[in-house]
Amino acid sequence: MGRMTRRVFTAAAAGALTAAALEPTAARAEAESHRKREFRGMWAATVANIDWPSRPGLAPDRQRAELLALYRAALDRRLNAVLLQIRPTADAFWPSRHEPWSEYLTGTQGRDPGWDPLAFAVREAHHHGLQLHGWFNPYRVANHTDPSRLAPGHPVRRHPDWAVPYGGKLYYNPGLPEVRHFVEDAMLDAVRRYDLDGVHFDDYFYPYPVAGQEFADAEAYRRHGRGFPGRAAWRRDNIDRLVHEMHRRIKALKPEVRFGVSPFAVWRNRTTDPRGSNTRAGVQTYDDLYADTRGWVRKGWIDYIVPQIYWHIGNAAADYAVLVPWWARTVRGTGVQLYIGEALYRQGAAGQPAPWQDPAELSRHLTLDRRHREVSGNVYFSATQVVTDPVGAMARVVRDHYPHRARPPR
């Protein structure tokens, strides 16, 4: 997601609405004041210490203070949910029975930080009136390819055949049934032991493609791919099984816990599939990440979806004003709630195109969203920008669209 964990890919399709047409009117702002239920979330990334803790090795009191500061910022912006990354790289922000303590807490993977960050995070979120969704990355093991750097006793140290190096990183192999069952158990450990409001997956399933490299799962395909027309169909089935099984197992444990995914926003381009969006994105989740995000919605395997529509209105290859109505049509009649993932980190950032230099761009996004009744909220990447708001874009969103606090949807 974002700078470290979310990728930005070149994309393009003609803008459907002008920026001027999307400026909020007084009547529309008044209508917003009556929205009583709306998901208003922020992602808090822990991988590479993007948002929290600010660096590894801080004293527990400092880590707790930093997390509370993020919660206060969320409340100040009238948000009502935090999606906290608690399993960024096959490690844990709680005393997991399956994987080691995260290196992003202490600087050394496997070292006990001396407190239970997840217990504190859940308790304080609820005390402050915030939902806490546990954000898990299912298959990423490390941001390097050296298993010897993993903590002693790490699952990959015990089962080296479970891991695949690719693009300078290490991944669990999604094609091994024993791996799928293990990562489900590792994530469900947190669901079972903590009062989470939701389980959240980001956009990484099979890794984003790296030019000139092949994900080395030929042996797993030979052993488990019988009956599939090709490796792509088999890979999609592996991810389908993960999502379907997680949904079923979460509901069996705690029916009230909601399960959501925040995928790269382009399922397929229309030129690839007539059911796809009128985009020309360089990556398609169905074909490149083997994630049938549209299918999961239509089959009801998730409770909510947060497509990362990280482009501006009028983007030449993947227009925000094209993708929002496509996703609205996709969820229509399914019961799956739609929230839009917003690239707050791009507002005012060096090198971003002109629309992102305008502090009103995100506010225009929400104005457009209000035209689609299926859109039930927005989530902002990431917590650091919610706090610092370098060009005032978040303050503009609050002023134009969040005149009052709102409860999350049921």
Side-chain angles (χ1 to χ4, degrees):
M1 273 171 151
R3 292 160 294 171
M4 187 74 178
T5 58
R6 296 205 174 186
R7 308 227 182 168
V8 177
F9 291 89
T10 312
L17 296 171
T18 66
L22 293 170
E23 291 294 345
T25 64
R28 196 173 299 128
E30 176 62 23
E32 292 307 313
S33 70
H34 300 292
R35 293 176 68 91
K36 301 300 184 185
R37 287 196 177 270
E38 180 176 42
F39 197 86
R40 303 174 181 176
M42 72 178 185
W43 283 289
T46 59
V47 65
N49 299 101
I50 288 176
D51 293 313
W52 178 74
S54 60
R55 65 178 188 273
L58 296 177
D61 284 349
R62 176 73 179 277
Q63 292 180 347
R64 287 190 283 265
E66 288 187 351
L67 186 59
L68 290 176
L70 294 183
Y71 286 178
R72 286 192 293 270
L75 292 170
D76 288 345
R77 304 298 188 188
R78 299 191 183 127
L79 306 183
N80 54 30
V82 175
L83 287 67
L84 178 65
Q85 193 173 35
I86 60 174
R87 185 181 174 270
T89 51
D91 52 12
F93 273 66
W94 74 95
S96 170
R97 298 182 173 116
H98 301 275
E99 291 171 316
W101 282 106
S102 177
E103 67 178 291
Y104 305 118
L105 287 165
T106 65
T108 301
Q109 189 178 67
R111 179 180 293 170
D112 190 333
W115 66 299
D116 186 336
L118 184 53
F120 178 83
V122 172
R123 182 176 68 248
E124 290 300 318
H126 293 167
H127 177 72
H128 286 81
L130 294 164
Q131 285 194 354
L132 198 287
H133 292 233
W135 165 14
F136 301 83
N137 187 287
Y139 288 120
R140 183 174 55 211
V141 172
N143 287 321
H144 58 77
T145 59
D146 183 0
S148 71
R149 291 172 55 186
L150 301 173
H154 190 287
V156 168
R157 298 284 290 270
R158 300 196 308 269
H159 304 279
D161 57 308
W162 283 11
V164 178
Y166 180 76
K169 298 181 181 181
L170 204 59
Y171 297 91
Y172 282 128
N173 187 344
L176 298 177
E178 60 270 31
V179 165
R180 185 177 75 252
H181 296 150
F182 171 81
V183 300
E184 290 174 10
D185 289 345
M187 294 184 285
L188 288 164
D189 182 62
V191 177
R192 184 177 290 107
R193 295 166 59 192
Y194 299 89
D195 189 21
L196 294 170
D197 296 289
V199 168
H200 186 82
F201 287 178
D202 58 19
D203 52 321
Y204 286 87
F205 295 98
Y206 278 87
Y208 281 90
V210 177
Q213 296 192 32
E214 176 65 26
F215 190 79
D217 60 355
E219 175 59 21
Y221 177 54
R222 185 189 67 78
R223 288 165 51 198
H224 302 290
R226 213 168 288 159
F228 290 93
R231 200 183 304 189
W234 170 73
R235 286 175 173 175
R236 269 189 296 277
D237 183 71
N238 293 329
I239 304 303
D240 278 354
R241 287 174 184 269
L242 171 75
V243 172
H244 192 199
E245 290 170 7
M246 275 297 290
H247 184 260
R248 178 177 52 79
R249 294 182 69 183
I250 290 166
K251 298 306 178 182
L253 269 177
K254 295 182 178 179
E256 72 280 8
V257 172
R258 300 173 68 232
F259 180 36
V261 178
S262 55
F264 183 81
V266 176
W267 172 71
R268 300 187 98 183
N269 296 318
R270 186 178 293 174
T271 52
T272 305
D273 187 320
R275 299 169 298 174
S277 52
N278 187 19
T279 51
R280 295 190 297 279
V283 167
Q284 303 169 90
T285 63
Y286 184 91
D287 302 274
D288 297 301
L289 307 183
Y290 307 99
D292 185 8
T293 52
R294 179 183 180 275
W296 306 340
V297 170
R298 304 304 295 181
K299 295 170 184 174
W301 290 353
I302 53 179
D303 298 309
Y304 67 87
I305 193 160
V306 194
Q308 297 173 35
I309 309 184
Y310 281 5
W311 302 284
H312 59 270
I313 294 168
N315 181 279
D319 189 344
Y320 187 95
V322 167
L323 282 161
V324 168
W326 186 88
W327 279 105
R329 291 191 298 272
T330 297
V331 304
R332 191 171 298 155
T334 65
V336 175
Q337 291 177 331
L338 172 62
Y339 318 138
I340 305 300
E342 300 289 347
L344 177 61
Y345 74 97
R346 286 189 163 187
Q347 283 276 196
Q352 293 295 334
W356 291 113
Q357 307 306 322
D358 181 354
E361 176 66 18
L362 281 190
S363 180
R364 287 192 286 267
H365 288 192
L366 270 71
T367 301
L368 186 152
D369 295 346
R370 299 303 189 254
R371 300 181 178 201
H372 301 277
R373 59 183 177 80
E374 293 85 0
V375 178
S376 300
N378 302 79
V379 184
Y380 302 92
F381 190 84
S382 68
T384 295
Q385 287 76 35
V386 171
V387 173
T388 59
D389 197 18
V391 295
M394 194 70 215
R396 179 71 177 262
V397 165
V398 175
R399 188 190 75 195
D400 291 347
H401 301 284
Y402 298 162
H404 304 288
R405 300 197 182 280
R407 292 175 292 172
R410 293 187 181 89

